[in-house]
Amino acid sequence: MGLAMVNRKLAIFGEFMVKWGGTMLVSFVLVSTYYSCVHIIAKDMYDNEAQIFWLTLVARVIILEIAVNLACFVYYARYNSVTYWHRKSCVADLRVYAEDSEAQPEIEYACAQPRVEEHLSWEPANESGSKFCFQCNKEAPQRSHHCPLCKMCVLRKDHHCFITGACVGLGNQRYFMVFLFWCSIGLIIAMPHLFFYMNTQIAYWYPFGFLHYIGPVAVLRWTFGYVPFAHACFSTLFSFAGASLITAGGFFCLQVWYTTQGYTMYEYNNLTVRATFQGDGENLKERLQLVFGKNWALNFLIPLTWNLPVLTPAISDSLFRVRSKVL
């Protein structure tokens, strides 16, 4: 009985770390980078108080953008579920709109609409346009993919992000991309400040001083008493910041590329899906509005949570109706 309880508690702790461990790490790196650059490095790097003031203001804005979009990403991850993007209700609505008005070129439909719950009870006569998910024990659209960590079928799945602790899908992809954008901007600003401190306070980078900037090397030297603890901390922070800049910048560029092609990362690298389905949207505008909604560029300044993704009839047909027996 005691062993079973320990295993249960370890399982709960493991699930908690999988979901929130990456978020806590990101938060720690952001706070540490902000405090180091603004309150420690800036005093040595700048003589003008105005420069420190503007650096502090810009850093706070970036931190706010990152925090808000990360919170929105985690919250709206629940809207990746096909329950909120019900295949039958979406197609039904699109057909009704097409029959009522041929002048209606596109419609907005998202999981946040209150009409979704009303449509969940609607059942069509033909169920052939779906597949059965044995994990969820329910019908699901062909272009949904079950995530064992999120424990649901994710519509238009991109990937499961272990840093943010949730899947990137149709419901929250916009927040993920904006989160990556502001992380990249913040780290681009932070890296020169961190390099200035490392170069002046720890070791001149040339010819081999840069080796002291590597986190594991600095920790090992601190363990044997060669450098103080503060130097090991700054070297570790510098390594984390550099790796985060490469990762965030690379992922953002990839997200932009996949979005402009009308696919997600999962679907673009799945040859069967690419051979069966064309990219969503007929042009760049439709593909951006599918992810960000109308006025898509404003999402990079403020999260437009009320601005729903735009699904044209062609996109909805691709998302919610079968094109191949096996995917």
Side-chain angles (χ1 to χ4, degrees), residues 167-180:
C167 272
V168 180
L170 186 58
N172 63 352
Q173 186 178 6
R174 67 171 76 175
Y175 307 111
F176 181 71
M177 293 182 67
V178 178
F179 166 78
L180 292 176

Side-chain angles (χ1 to χ4, degrees), residues 34-94:
Y34 168 81
Y35 182 83
S36 300
C37 293
V38 172
H39 296 285
I40 298 177
I41 302 174
K43 296 179 181 179
D44 296 330
M45 192 171 182
Y46 301 112
D47 297 327
N48 192 340
E49 290 292 333
Q51 292 177 305
I52 299 177
F53 169 79
W54 284 110
L55 174 65
T56 304
L57 180 62
V58 171
R60 289 179 179 177
V61 170
I62 293 175
I63 290 292
L64 179 63
E65 290 281 357
I66 293 174
V68 170
N69 281 281
L70 178 58
C72 288
F73 172 85
V74 174
Y75 177 79
Y76 284 99
R78 68 189 69 183
Y79 295 129
N80 290 330
S81 172
V82 297
T83 303
Y84 295 94
W85 294 88
H86 201 268
R87 170 186 65 85
K88 312 171 187 64
S89 61
C90 288
V91 174
D93 275 358
L94 288 168

Side-chain angles (χ1 to χ4, degrees), residues 13 24 137 148 169 195 235:
F13 177 75
M24 291 188 295
N137 195 30
F195 180 79
S235 297

Side-chain angles (χ1 to χ4, degrees), residues 219-228:
V219 171
L220 187 64
R221 297 183 75 237
W222 167 72
T223 303
F224 290 98
Y226 289 103
V227 296

Side-chain angles (χ1 to χ4, degrees), residues 200-318:
T200 57
Q201 301 296 327
I202 294 183
Y204 185 70
W205 72 276
Y206 183 82
F208 301 109
F210 67 92
L211 294 175
H212 299 283
Y213 304 173
I214 301 174
V217 173
V219 171
L220 187 64
R221 297 183 75 237
W222 167 72
T223 303
F224 290 98
Y226 289 103
V227 296
F229 179 71
H231 286 191
C233 290
F234 269 98
S235 297
T236 303
L237 179 61
F238 181 83
S239 298
F240 265 113
S244 299
L245 175 58
I246 296 173
T247 303
F251 258 95
F252 177 74
C253 293
L254 286 175
Q255 289 291 307
V256 172
W257 166 253
Y258 293 132
T259 299
T260 56
Q261 299 304 304
Y263 293 100
T264 63
M265 181 169 64
Y266 178 88
E267 294 178 337
Y268 188 86
N269 293 285
N270 188 317
L271 297 181
T272 304
V273 175
R274 287 177 58 189
T276 307
F277 296 94
Q278 294 182 350
D280 294 324
E282 297 180 358
N283 50 56
L284 181 60
K285 178 182 178 182
E286 289 185 357
R287 291 168 179 174
L288 291 174
Q289 289 185 345
L290 173 61
V291 175
F292 296 99
K294 292 182 178 179
N295 304 315
W296 61 270
L298 293 179
N299 286 275
F300 288 88
L301 298 177
I302 179 173
L304 304 181
T305 57
W306 61 89
N307 197 9
L308 306 179
V310 176
L311 278 75
T312 64
I315 292 176
S316 182
D317 182 70
S318 175

